[in-house]
Amino acid sequence: KQEVTQIPAALSVPEGENLVLNCSFTDSAIYNLQWFRQDPGKGLTSLLLIQSSQREQTSGRLNASLDKSSGRSTLYIAASQPGDSATYLCAVRSGAGNKLTFGGGTRVLVKP
Amino acid sequence: DTAVSQTPKYLVTQMGNDKSIKCEQNLGHDTMYWYKQDSKKFLKIMFSYNNKELIINETVPNRFSPKSPDKAHLNLHINSLELGDSAVYFCASSLQERTDTQYFGPGTRLTVL
């Protein structure tokens, strides 16, 4: 059974600092890994999708890496801004039913 | 312009009632999903449909019945609502089952009194 863990559960940084969010998963036989952002009371916005054959994906200030063999992914957000404050969720697609299994999220606060 | 929409946004109801949540996507996707986010913010898959066919059915009480009248719609009907059903329910869709990005709706906050 796939389990996804995100550490830390919460993170507070001053504006301009780089953010590093960690995600680990127990079953390395994955199809892909997806990072989402969730704002309070809102739905999820997809940030990056990394296929199992890829090592990283980049979009603007965001970079996500994937090390399938060790069951880890890291999301880097460069030069953080107050607008980056949100909960970031990691999700792994795996298993016979191609299920998406979510981590518990990291709640980020970027202070001006 | 909304890609994945859900109605209603909020639903407050009494224990024992039956209620439905509707979901529609205008992205032309083949696969749709229902997720439940509980009070601790954990998101868990409930169902997925591909081309109107049930693909995933997690360990969900059979009081929950999804219905897909066509590829663009996946509705969730809940019978005999219980207090523990209170949560936020998210609908999502993706172009194909396995490899594609999932796009989420805004969620429906269900409160059972």
Side-chain angles (χ1 to χ4, degrees):
Chain A
K1 182 189 165 190
Q2 181 72 268
E3 290 180 7
V4 182
T5 305
Q6 290 185 248
I7 294 172
L11 187 56
S12 179
V13 299
E15 183 176 1
E17 201 165 290
N18 296 333
L19 284 162
V20 180
L21 308 179
N22 296 303
C23 172
S24 61
F25 46 95
T26 53
D27 184 354
S28 61
I30 67 169
Y31 297 114
N32 56 50
L33 182 145
Q34 198 165 352
W35 282 95
F36 293 88
R37 169 188 171 135
Q38 185 175 28
D39 292 285
K42 299 278 177 67
L44 279 69
T45 302
S46 179
L47 298 173
L48 290 166
L49 173 73
I50 313 177
Q51 301 294 352
S52 63
S53 57
Q54 297 174 322
R55 295 292 299 233
E56 68 176 343
Q57 279 287 340
T58 298
S59 175
R61 293 184 294 112
L62 274 59
N63 174 278
S65 65
L66 174 63
D67 184 342
K68 218 172 59 161
S69 58
S70 67
R72 292 179 195 278
S73 176
T74 303
L75 177 67
Y76 300 90
I77 304 177
S80 61
Q81 303 168 358
D84 295 329
S85 299
T87 297
Y88 291 83
L89 293 156
C90 161
V92 168
R93 190 182 280 253
S94 62
N98 302 321
K99 257 180 9 174
L100 203 60
T101 304
F102 281 84
T106 295
R107 195 170 64 252
V108 170
L109 175 64
V110 180
K111 295 178 283 191
Chain B
D1 251 342
T2 307
V4 183
S5 59
Q6 295 178 229
T7 53
K9 191 168 170 59
Y10 299 97
L11 187 51
V12 181
T13 188
Q14 300 284 337
M15 262 174 55
N17 284 350
D18 302 338
K19 290 293 177 186
S20 291
I21 307 172
K22 294 187 176 180
C23 177
E24 176 181 3
Q25 53 94 2
N26 62 7
L27 297 166
H29 287 170
D30 287 339
T31 310
M32 296 184 72
Y33 313 81
W34 276 109
Y35 290 86
K36 179 180 179 180
Q37 188 172 41
D38 60 26
S39 55
K40 294 183 180 175
K41 306 297 183 189
F42 281 100
L43 259 164
K44 287 192 73 174
I45 182 80
M46 298 174 70
F47 302 102
S48 81
Y49 270 71
N50 188 55
N51 275 318
K52 302 195 301 174
E53 191 179 321
L54 181 66
I55 303 298
I56 294 174
N57 182 352
E58 284 298 285
T59 312
V60 175
N62 57 16
R63 297 181 295 105
F64 290 78
S65 52
K67 284 188 173 48
S68 182
D70 55 58
K71 238 172 53 164
H73 296 84
L74 181 61
N75 304 322
L76 184 65
H77 188 76
I78 316 170
N79 289 328
S80 305
L81 278 155
E82 300 178 356
L83 294 177
D85 297 333
S86 296
V88 181
Y89 292 85
F90 287 100
C91 176
S93 74
S94 64
L95 184 60
Q96 291 178 13
E97 246 183 281
R98 186 174 298 181
T99 56
D100 294 301
T101 300
Q102 288 194 19
Y103 295 87
F104 279 72
T108 295
R109 182 174 292 277
L110 171 65
T111 303
V112 182
L113 304 174

